[in-house]
Amino acid sequence: EVQLVESGGGLVQPGGSLRLSCAASGFTFSTSSMGWVRQAPGKGLEWVSAIRSSGGRTSYADSVKGRFTISRDNGKNTLYLEMNSLKPEDTAVYYCTNFVSWGQGTQVTVSS
């Protein structure tokens, strides 16, 4: 059974930072491309970032480029999203995905 468990969300002030983690199991993580998507209150899903299996190629939505960094540790079956210079518009539930399954999400709230 595929499991994707996100953690690391919380309340942070504008300009602050958070690091999200996603613990993966039930599939071959090291050969899977992975990504993060988010859903803001009252809005649809927005793709945030993706990373190839080796970690050598990454991509980002324009809205987060230069502020977010996706990475992975294939030895730990874990995906990360480092988020810096957070803005109120980054407030959303963040989901980890292997583009087949999704986690339960972790809430990120950016507010003063």
Side-chain angles (χ1 to χ4, degrees):
E1 178 188 2
V2 172
Q3 286 197 324
L4 298 165
V5 180
E6 301 94 338
S7 60
L11 173 64
V12 63
Q13 292 187 341
S17 299
L18 282 175
R19 188 194 197 201
L20 305 184
S21 299
C22 172
S25 62
F27 65 101
T28 308
F29 180 81
S30 61
T31 61
S32 299
S33 292
M34 298 293 297
W36 291 95
V37 297
R38 66 186 181 185
Q39 187 167 28
K43 297 189 177 181
L45 283 173
E46 176 189 16
W47 170 76
V48 174
S49 183
I51 186 168
R52 291 287 183 91
S53 58
S54 65
R57 179 174 288 186
T58 59
S59 54
Y60 299 91
D62 287 344
S63 58
V64 306
K65 199 172 294 182
R67 300 187 297 119
F68 290 12
T69 302
I70 191 171
S71 63
R72 63 192 296 160
D73 185 333
N74 286 343
K76 294 182 178 180
N77 283 6
T78 302
L79 178 72
Y80 303 100
L81 186 67
E82 184 77 33
M83 305 186 296
N84 298 313
S85 302
L86 282 161
K87 305 175 181 180
E89 51 264 44
D90 294 318
T91 295
V93 178
Y94 285 72
Y95 299 92
C96 166
T97 180
N98 63 358
F99 302 104
V100 175
S101 301
W102 309 78
Q104 84 290 346
T106 186
Q107 176 71 49
V108 171
T109 302
V110 184
S111 175
S112 55

